[in-house]
């Protein structure tokens, strides 16, 4: 199901019949290596990224996903990653906020 803040409460949306499925547009992949301009990165060094989407892209070796943000350059929505296993984990966001936990993400936070 798809829930949105524009169609009422969760309970109202959960009971609605949905129409035909919306087709998902085909993914357009740009395989060019793109260099970000110095002025776009607010003083950061030029970073070349693969599969760039104007907010970030993969490093040339494909081992990292690089997001370029700054005071006047934000991602269109909060961007966070959860890295975890059954006993330990961390949440990291594009704004730099993060925390770690042991066993239970809510009850046993190790960092604020």
């Amino acid at each position: 199901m798809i829930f949105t803040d524009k169609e009422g409460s969760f309970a109202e949306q959960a009971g609605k019949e949905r129409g035909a499925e919306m087709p998902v547009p085909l993914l357009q992949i740009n395989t060019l290596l793109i260099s970000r301009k110095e002025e776009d990165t607010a003083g950061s060094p030029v970073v070349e990224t693969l599969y760039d989407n104007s907010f970030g892209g993969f490093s040339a070796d494909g081992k990292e996903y690089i997001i370029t943000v700054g005071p006047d350059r934000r991602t269109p929505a909060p961007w966070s990653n959860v890295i975890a296993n059954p006993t330990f984990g961390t949440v990291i966001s594009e704004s730099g906020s993060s925390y770690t936990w042991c066993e239970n993400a809510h009850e046993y936070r190790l960092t604020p």
Side-chain angles (χ1 to χ4, degrees):
M1 292 188 76
I2 299 172
F3 295 97
T4 176
D5 61 350
K6 297 176 182 152
E7 294 186 21
S9 70
F10 176 79
E12 292 169 337
Q13 293 181 58
K16 279 187 181 177
E17 263 308 302
R18 292 288 175 178
E21 289 186 29
M22 294 173 34
V24 177
L26 293 174
L27 177 63
Q28 299 294 320
I29 296 176
N30 179 2
T31 58
L32 298 175
L33 198 59
I34 297 174
S35 293
R36 294 192 186 269
K37 295 178 182 171
E38 290 280 348
E39 59 269 20
D40 288 345
T41 58
S44 298
V46 172
V47 178
E48 292 188 343
T49 56
L50 188 60
Y51 304 112
D52 189 271
N53 65 8
S54 79
F55 296 103
F58 288 96
S59 61
D61 62 7
K63 293 182 178 182
E64 297 177 283
Y65 192 83
I66 301 166
I67 302 170
T68 306
V69 295
D72 297 325
R73 182 179 172 83
R74 303 314 258 156
T75 56
W79 195 321
S80 62
N81 292 290
V82 176
I83 304 168
N85 63 35
T87 58
F88 183 81
T90 187
V91 175
I92 305 165
S93 79
E94 94 292 343
S95 66
S97 61
S98 66
Y99 73 94
T100 57
W101 70 87
C102 181
E103 294 183 26
N104 181 303
H106 181 72
E107 300 296 325
Y108 302 118
R109 290 185 180 193
L110 300 175
T111 58

